[in-house]
């Protein structure tokens, strides 16, 4: 096996050259240059949904220019999403389309994605950014889903202590950044759904799946953060969740995982769902 432990993401030679895309190239270049100088100040609105498990909804977490930049960055990098078949940190990637049917793209950090990583580390109490895993973009088209799973796995030497899932796009797949997709909610079946009606702007209060729980709608620019562990650092089984099937259009999301210790890229950055399928 090739030793890739010093990398923060995939081989830079595979990195998408934005200059190959004539559309909005100058805007992407300007954004790149701006973020290379310094991460801009950015305000977003946190809303605590639950304290057990800790779930915080973040409004306006990813700006429109950032969303367009990252979506464009991912376009030439997608491969079929994998899941992990083995326990511990020595995991084997496997394609299980009936379980996870999305497409995935992961990146080396550049000035824009690095600022998103730093924002996410700062949100968690100014945590060292080297604990943030390489960002992963996931694209779901009609029928695509990721069935219920945890983002943690038993026996990991350096567990994922939190997940922040941001919505980059929810559109028809033909025009950009209009809330035109249907389905694709982030569903937590074990959460109680006796929340105030004010949450119906971001939660599907008319969910007809029959699964109960809570389903966060894919609102572009917003994000859902949750802690994968209890205060005593044991895994929280209440974080069981799914990316529900997209019924119309496409959903593009951004996985931002944070580890307990420094994250060293091993070539596989996928969820363990063995316990969920067995």
């Amino acid at each position: 096996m090739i030793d890739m432990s010093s990398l923060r993401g995939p081989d830079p030679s595979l990195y998408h050259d934005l200059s190959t895309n004539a559309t909005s190239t100058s805007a992407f270049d300007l954004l790149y240059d701006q973020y290379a100088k310094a991460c801009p100040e950015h305000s977003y609105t946190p809303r605590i949904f639950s304290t057990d498990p800790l779930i915080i909804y973040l409004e306006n977490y990813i700006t429109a220019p950032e969303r367009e930049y990252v979506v464009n960055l991912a376009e030439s990098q997608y491969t079929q999403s994998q899941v992990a078949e083995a326990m511990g940190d020595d995991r084997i990637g496997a394609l299980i389309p009936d379980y996870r049917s999305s497409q995935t793209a992961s990146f080396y950090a550049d000035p824009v994605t690095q600022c998103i990583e730093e924002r996410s580390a700062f949100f968690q109490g100014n945590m060292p950014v080297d604990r943030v895993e390489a960002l992963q973009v996931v694209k779901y088209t009609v029928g695509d889903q990721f069935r219920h799973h945890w983002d943690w796995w038993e026996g990991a030497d350096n567990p994922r202590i939190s997940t922040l899932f941001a919505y980059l796009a929810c559109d028809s797949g033909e025009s950009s950044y209009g809330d035109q997709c249907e389905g694709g909610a982030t569903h937590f079946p074990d959460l109680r759904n006796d929340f105030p009606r004010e949450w119906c702007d971001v939660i599907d209060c008319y969910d007809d799946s029959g699964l109960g729980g809570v389903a966060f709608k894919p609102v572009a620019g917003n994000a859902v953060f949750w802690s994968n562990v209890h205060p005593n650092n044991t895994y929280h089984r209440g974080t069981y969740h799914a990316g529900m099937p997209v019924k119309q259009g496409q959903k593009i999301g951004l996985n931002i995982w944070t580890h307990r210790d420094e994250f060293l890229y091993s070539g596989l950055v996928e969820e363990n769902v063995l316990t969920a399928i067995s």
Side-chain angles (χ1 to χ4, degrees):
M1 178 178 294
I2 299 173
D3 182 7
M4 302 180 69
S5 62
S6 63
L7 300 182
R8 288 277 295 144
D11 187 334
S13 65
L14 301 178
Y15 195 69
H16 181 36
D17 181 2
L18 289 175
S19 65
T20 61
N21 186 342
T23 303
S24 300
T25 297
S26 61
F28 294 144
D29 290 341
L30 288 172
L31 195 71
Y32 183 102
D33 292 342
Q34 175 190 358
Y35 281 60
K37 294 176 182 176
C39 296
E41 293 187 6
H42 174 59
S43 297
Y44 53 88
T45 303
R47 299 167 62 182
I48 297 175
F49 179 78
S50 168
T51 57
D52 186 22
L54 178 62
I55 298 177
I56 303 175
Y57 192 84
L58 303 169
E59 296 181 341
N60 190 36
Y61 189 73
I62 307 291
T63 70
E66 290 170 349
R67 300 199 309 267
E68 187 174 359
Y69 181 96
V70 175
V71 168
N72 184 77
L73 198 64
E75 192 56 40
S76 69
Q77 299 295 332
Y78 285 119
T79 59
Q80 182 64 45
S81 298
Q82 299 182 26
V83 294
E85 279 195 310
M87 292 294 191
D89 282 345
D90 294 324
R91 292 167 286 150
I92 301 172
L95 302 177
I96 310 179
D98 289 344
Y99 206 89
R100 189 186 191 195
S101 53
S102 60
Q103 298 178 66
T104 295
S106 295
F107 310 116
Y108 235 81
D110 78 351
V112 178
T113 60
Q114 179 74 17
C115 284
I116 295 173
E117 290 181 1
E118 291 181 6
R119 181 183 307 155
S120 302
F122 184 81
F123 168 72
Q124 298 176 75
N126 205 20
M127 184 173 290
V129 72
D130 63 13
R131 299 185 188 182
V132 178
E133 190 170 312
L135 300 185
Q136 182 191 89
V137 176
V138 283
K139 179 165 72 172
Y140 297 79
T141 55
V142 174
D144 286 342
Q145 64 179 316
F146 192 174
R147 295 182 187 274
H148 290 91
H149 62 282
W150 291 279
D151 288 346
W152 50 264
W153 55 95
E154 298 285 356
D157 293 333
N158 186 17
R160 288 173 175 160
I161 60 173
S162 70
T163 298
L164 196 159
F165 187 74
Y167 303 105
L168 300 179
C170 173
D171 56 45
S172 66
E174 298 176 357
S175 60
S176 297
Y177 310 113
D179 290 340
Q180 302 172 33
C181 72
E182 293 182 12
T186 304
H187 180 245
F188 292 82
D190 298 328
L191 293 183
R192 296 179 59 180
N193 60 5
D194 55 351
F195 48 84
R197 303 302 290 178
E198 289 80 6
W199 281 96
C200 291
D201 58 338
V202 295
I203 290 176
D204 186 357
C205 294
Y206 305 98
D207 177 30
D208 60 358
S209 67
L211 299 175
V214 172
F216 290 96
K217 294 186 273 189
V219 180
N222 295 356
V224 184
F225 168 89
W226 62 90
S227 175
N228 289 313
V229 295
H230 290 281
N232 64 0
N233 287 323
T234 57
Y235 294 121
H236 202 309
R237 301 185 70 84
T239 60
Y240 197 54
H241 65 284
M244 299 300 286
V246 171
K247 299 177 181 179
Q248 178 178 309
Q250 67 174 7
K251 177 186 78 173
I252 303 178
L254 180 64
N255 280 312
I256 307 173
W257 291 298
T258 301
H259 290 252
R260 182 191 62 202
D261 306 313
E262 179 182 359
F263 172 72
L264 299 176
Y265 182 74
S266 63
L268 177 65
V269 287
E270 306 297 338
E271 290 81 356
N272 173 60
V273 295
L274 181 63
T275 54
I277 12 183
S278 61

